[in-house]
Amino acid sequence: AGRMRGLWEASPLTYLTLVAALVMSAFPIYWMIVIATRDNSAVSDVPPPLLPGGNLADNMGRLFDAEDAFFAKGLLNSVIASTAVTISTVFFASLAGFAFAKLRFRGKNALLLTIIATMMIPVQMGIIPLYMIMVRIGWHNELQAVIVPFLVTGFGVFMMRQYAQQAVPDELIEAARVDGCTTFGIYWRVVLPAVRPAAGVLGLLTFMQTWNEFMWPLAVLTPDNPTVQLSISNLSNAYFQDYTLIFAGTTMAVLPLLVVFIVFGRQIIGGIMEGAIKA
């Protein structure tokens, strides 16, 4: 027991390293929030201000009133698009991953190789043909143009397939079939709870990627119907940089990511702890 306790004990250097890494990672975000509560003169102060100011309400008001930014609409569009893409990706990727991992059907290996091959093609190569398709079907400047092409990803299917192959025993699936479960019932009642940690990771990564996407919304949406990243870019002016306005917008754009990280993080940890208890 003493030897095992020694293996789990961390040295003071380890704690010091972790604290230093935390400070270096969190300080830019904290300083961004501080500047969002001050005026533009605080940006060039030496040493930089470390305490929040009293201009947050004024900066937020200017942010939502800024012409040509359409920040409120961009925020709403990003919430809708990121939520829809995340839910769809987790559902379809876990469903397909279960099929590739545990079901037997003709052409399974060829289909899996095709999905893996799509991961080797850079996204930028598909922007022009995808844009032409969106124009042809009348989805230019429509929010569904940002959502529908990304409802499922090859990476998500491959990730869930690898996890389901290890996390779901064949005996558990056979027992569910004996009890009369349909294939979808097995997925919903047996497989989905078992792959919850991987689904949480995939959901977190998908939401962050969709929320931070810039190139494709820039190509398919117009400035009056933006996502939040386009709104932030529209806050910049060629002659004068209003840093407090930009940092206020960035702060508002980061808050949903923090909420999603907390929610999915709890799901991930809860799934891991549940699996550890069962083991």
Side-chain angles (χ1 to χ4, degrees), residues 37-239:
T37 65
R38 291 176 172 266
D39 54 28
N40 280 293
S41 62
V43 176
S44 57
D45 286 349
V46 179
L50 299 179
L51 296 177
N55 294 353
L56 180 60
D58 179 65
N59 291 337
M60 287 299 175
R62 293 192 303 115
L63 171 66
F64 286 97
D65 293 338
E67 296 182 0
D68 301 327
F70 301 97
F71 191 83
K73 190 171 186 179
L75 198 62
L76 179 62
N77 283 345
S78 287
V79 169
I80 295 173
S82 300
T83 302
V85 170
T86 299
I87 294 174
S88 173
T89 298
V90 170
F91 174 73
F92 286 115
S94 59
L95 188 62
F98 159 60
F100 281 116
K102 296 299 176 179
L103 300 184
R104 298 178 181 176
F105 55 92
R106 186 174 300 175
K108 180 173 72 172
N109 293 332
L111 287 174
L112 182 60
L113 288 176
T114 302
I115 291 175
I116 295 175
T118 63
M119 298 166 55
M120 304 176 185
I121 303 174
V123 178
Q124 292 78 4
M125 292 185 62
I127 285 183
I128 293 178
L130 188 58
Y131 176 81
M132 295 173 64
I133 293 174
M134 295 298 108
V135 173
R136 184 67 60 88
I137 63 179
W139 282 5
H140 180 259
N141 197 32
E142 298 291 338
L143 191 58
Q144 57 262 34
V146 181
I147 299 174
V148 175
F150 306 100
L151 290 179
V152 65
T153 62
F155 169 76
V157 173
F158 180 73
M159 174 182 172
M160 297 307 297
R161 184 257 181 188
Q162 295 298 103
Y163 192 88
Q165 200 168 31
Q166 300 294 328
V168 184
D170 294 335
E171 295 79 6
L172 194 59
I173 295 179
E174 294 301 326
R177 288 196 184 279
V178 171
D179 288 340
C181 265
T182 61
T183 301
F184 186 80
I186 294 173
Y187 160 76
W188 190 257
R189 294 181 175 87
V190 177
V191 176
L192 193 56
V195 300
R196 189 176 67 176
V201 173
L202 179 60
L204 177 61
L205 295 176
T206 302
F207 190 94
M208 292 178 62
Q209 180 178 0
T210 307
W211 185 270
N212 292 324
E213 182 63 40
F214 179 80
M215 183 175 295
W216 174 242
L218 179 64
V220 78
L221 298 179
T222 57
D224 61 340
N225 186 33
T227 59
V228 69
Q229 305 302 331
L230 298 182
S231 295
I232 293 175
S233 70
N234 291 335
L235 293 173
S236 300
N237 188 287
Y239 301 101

Side-chain angles (χ1 to χ4, degrees), residues 1-14:
R3 180 179 300 178
M4 291 300 296
R5 190 181 301 113
L7 290 175
W8 290 103
E9 289 179 353
S11 65
L13 181 60
T14 301

Side-chain angles (χ1 to χ4, degrees), residues 12-57:
L13 181 60
T14 301
Y15 285 111
L16 183 62
T17 304
L18 292 175
V19 170
L22 176 63
V23 170
M24 288 188 294
S25 301
F27 180 77
I29 299 176
Y30 175 75
W31 189 74
M32 174 190 70
I33 297 174
V34 169
I35 297 301
T37 65
R38 291 176 172 266
D39 54 28
N40 280 293
S41 62
V43 176
S44 57
D45 286 349
V46 179
L50 299 179
L51 296 177
N55 294 353
L56 180 60

